[in-house]
Amino acid sequence: MMAAGEQKKDTHFIDETCSIKEILHVQGIRDLADKFLLDLRVNGRKMVFEVDTGSPISLISAADKKYHFPHLALNSTSTQLVSYCGADINVLGKIYVDVISNDQECRLPLHVADSKRHPLLGRDWLLQLNLDFNRVFKPGVHSITGFQSFEQQTVTALKDILAKYSSVFDGNVGKISGVQASFNQRADSKPVYIKARPVAFAVRDAVGEEIDKFVEAGIWEKVDQSDWATPIVPVCKAGGKVRLCGDYKITVNPSLLIDDHPLPTVEELFVSVAGGERFSKIDLSQAYLQLEVREEDRALLTLSTHKGLFRPTRLMYGVASAPAIFQRLMEQILLGIPGVTVFIDDIRVTGPDDRSHLQRLDEVRSARSS
């Protein structure tokens, strides 16, 4: 669309019946201060081009085309280009875009090449656009704040997502809102109480610190008595840390009607990410502890430790139903987001290009927090 008072200028495109054998500099930016940069609005998107009078055509990379103009049809072209070193440049085709400069709108051809260079403005556009050349050929006059290559745009978009959800990386155990885990007991089940087992002195302090941390976070609650009690099993991890599990196989598990929700097979996981180019892996920290257990079932999970009895308010490692419960929940939360696979606490996200990949990554985090 044109603003009031604007005129759309007729354009004359270069003859493509011959090969263009001119010097076309295709090296990446090393010193932006030496470049002539020009801000333009192309199909409504702000883009920064390097002005190069040595190039007969204007050019963008295939990656930039996919990022900025994914829906524009790529038209065939017979144009051939060579680099400064004499190497052939693979020109994939051209698109037609609406360019606005100084309240003037032109529909111009923009060639697409199989390269990693930033957008380049050649003589074909310079002849059509109403430009103040005294300003164009003064390095530093035009703001380059918005200038980013395709790779830089991807990195920036990823950083924006990480900053948006920075709380995910604060080291605390989160909680999935709006849902609670529940257990189904056999009709003939009876409570089992087993006293605490001795804790090796080598991990005693680490176990005590982990218990205190869970109590402070509301993940465990101190209780004085219980019909059920399961001894803890400390699992050593890197850095001298431990993961506290319950030996539920000798207490609770025999009394449960085990949830039989199937875990995905390797083949199913591969099918779900078919067509992806890049992948993100989200490994949920202490995943089970992020899922709350309903009040009436918490007594089943009571743990006996060298510091007394503690009743977990969250799902515990060692409970036979835990994998199926958590798998079903994650599948429900992430339902409808393409390119996403989940295997209990391991989420993988992909897409056919960086833009869709990062969009899906954002959707995953939004779904989890909703």
Side-chain angles (χ1 to χ4, degrees):
M1 295 180 65
M2 295 184 293
E6 292 179 5
Q7 294 184 348
K8 192 164 185 176
K9 187 175 181 180
D10 291 335
T11 56
H12 302 281
F13 306 142
I14 61 174
D15 183 5
E16 293 191 354
T17 59
C18 61
S19 301
I20 300 173
K21 295 293 184 179
E22 299 191 37
I23 293 177
L24 179 62
H25 189 73
V26 295
Q27 294 180 352
I29 288 182
R30 294 182 180 271
D31 185 0
L32 290 177
D34 295 333
K35 303 295 181 179
F36 298 112
L37 302 175
L38 181 63
D39 294 333
L40 293 174
R41 190 160 293 276
V42 182
N43 278 22
R45 299 180 67 94
K46 179 182 178 182
M47 297 183 66
V48 180
F49 287 79
E50 178 191 346
V51 179
D52 187 352
T53 59
S55 172
I57 63 172
S58 298
L59 190 73
I60 61 171
S61 68
D64 276 330
K65 191 273 179 188
K66 181 182 290 187
Y67 183 82
H68 291 291
F69 316 112
H71 304 301
L72 292 186
L74 188 64
N75 300 279
S76 61
T77 178
S78 59
T79 300
Q80 300 178 26
L81 300 173
V82 293
S83 70
Y84 179 80
C85 300
D88 289 334
I89 297 175
N90 184 17
V91 180
L92 304 176
K94 64 180 178 180
I95 58 177
Y96 291 94
V97 293
D98 295 320
V99 184
I100 297 179
S101 175
N102 294 333
D103 296 329
Q104 171 205 6
E105 182 176 356
C106 293
R107 187 163 183 80
L108 299 170
L110 183 58
H111 286 73
V112 181
D114 184 14
S115 71
K116 295 184 178 180
R117 65 159 300 119
H118 58 284
L120 181 146
L121 191 151
R123 294 197 303 270
D124 58 341
W125 282 25
L126 287 173
L127 293 172
Q128 301 297 331
L129 296 175
N130 180 23
L131 300 176
D132 181 355
F133 287 92
N134 288 324
R135 285 177 52 81
V136 171
F137 297 114
K138 288 183 180 180
V141 170
H142 291 272
S143 169
I144 61 172
T145 303
F147 176 79
Q148 288 185 319
S149 66
F150 174 75
E151 290 78 10
Q152 290 172 323
Q153 291 165 349
T154 300
V155 171
T156 299
L158 178 57
K159 288 182 177 179
D160 289 343
I161 293 176
L162 296 178
K164 182 178 179 181
Y165 302 113
S166 58
S167 60
V168 172
F169 310 101
D170 61 10
N172 296 321
V173 178
K175 184 176 74 171
I176 302 173
S177 60
V179 64
Q180 293 182 325
S182 61
F183 306 115
N184 295 313
Q185 290 182 262
R186 299 181 183 277
D188 59 348
S189 63
K190 296 180 180 180
V192 178
Y193 186 104
I194 299 179
K195 294 181 179 181
R197 295 168 180 163
V199 178
F201 285 106
V203 296
R204 191 180 182 91
D205 290 343
V207 170
E209 291 175 2
E210 195 75 357
I211 292 174
D212 292 341
K213 184 178 73 173
F214 285 169
V215 172
E216 183 179 354
I219 297 173
W220 287 9
E221 298 174 337
K222 185 73 171 68
V223 295
D224 295 328
Q225 55 187 12
S226 176
D227 294 330
W228 291 88
T230 300
I232 60 171
V233 178
V235 178
C236 295
K237 300 178 65 179
K241 297 183 179 181
V242 295
R243 170 179 287 175
L244 300 183
C245 306
D247 193 5
Y248 292 111
K249 66 179 180 292
I250 60 175
T251 56
V252 176
N253 289 349
S255 71
L256 293 179
L257 294 172
I258 307 299
D259 196 314
D260 62 354
H261 185 78
L263 298 178
T265 64
V266 174
E267 290 77 11
E268 290 171 336
L269 293 175
F270 278 125
V271 168
S272 298
V273 297
E277 292 186 355
R278 299 189 184 182
F279 300 81
S280 294
K281 176 184 175 183
I282 304 174
D283 189 359
L284 301 181
S285 176
Q286 302 192 71
Y288 291 173
L289 297 183
Q290 299 188 34
L291 178 57
E292 201 170 33
V293 175
R294 67 176 181 173
E295 183 76 31
E296 53 267 40
D297 289 335
R298 294 175 184 176
L300 293 171
L301 304 182
T302 303
L303 295 165
S304 55
T305 78
H306 68 286
K307 299 186 70 171
L309 297 175
F310 293 88
R311 183 168 297 167
T313 63
R314 310 283 183 91
L315 188 62
M316 286 296 299
Y317 289 92
V319 178
S321 295
I325 290 173
F326 201 83
Q327 179 70 28
R328 178 192 290 114
L329 174 62
M330 296 308 297
E331 290 178 359
Q332 292 172 348
I333 291 176
L334 302 175
L335 182 65
I337 305 178
V340 176
T341 65
V342 57
F343 189 86
I344 306 179
D345 61 348
D346 187 352
I347 303 172
R348 295 178 188 268
V349 185
T350 189
D353 52 61
D354 284 345
R355 189 177 187 182
S356 59
H357 175 200
L358 295 178
Q359 180 180 354
R360 293 170 182 179
L361 191 62
D362 190 21
E363 289 180 20
V364 167
R365 184 59 186 90
S366 299
R368 182 178 172 273
S369 59
S370 61

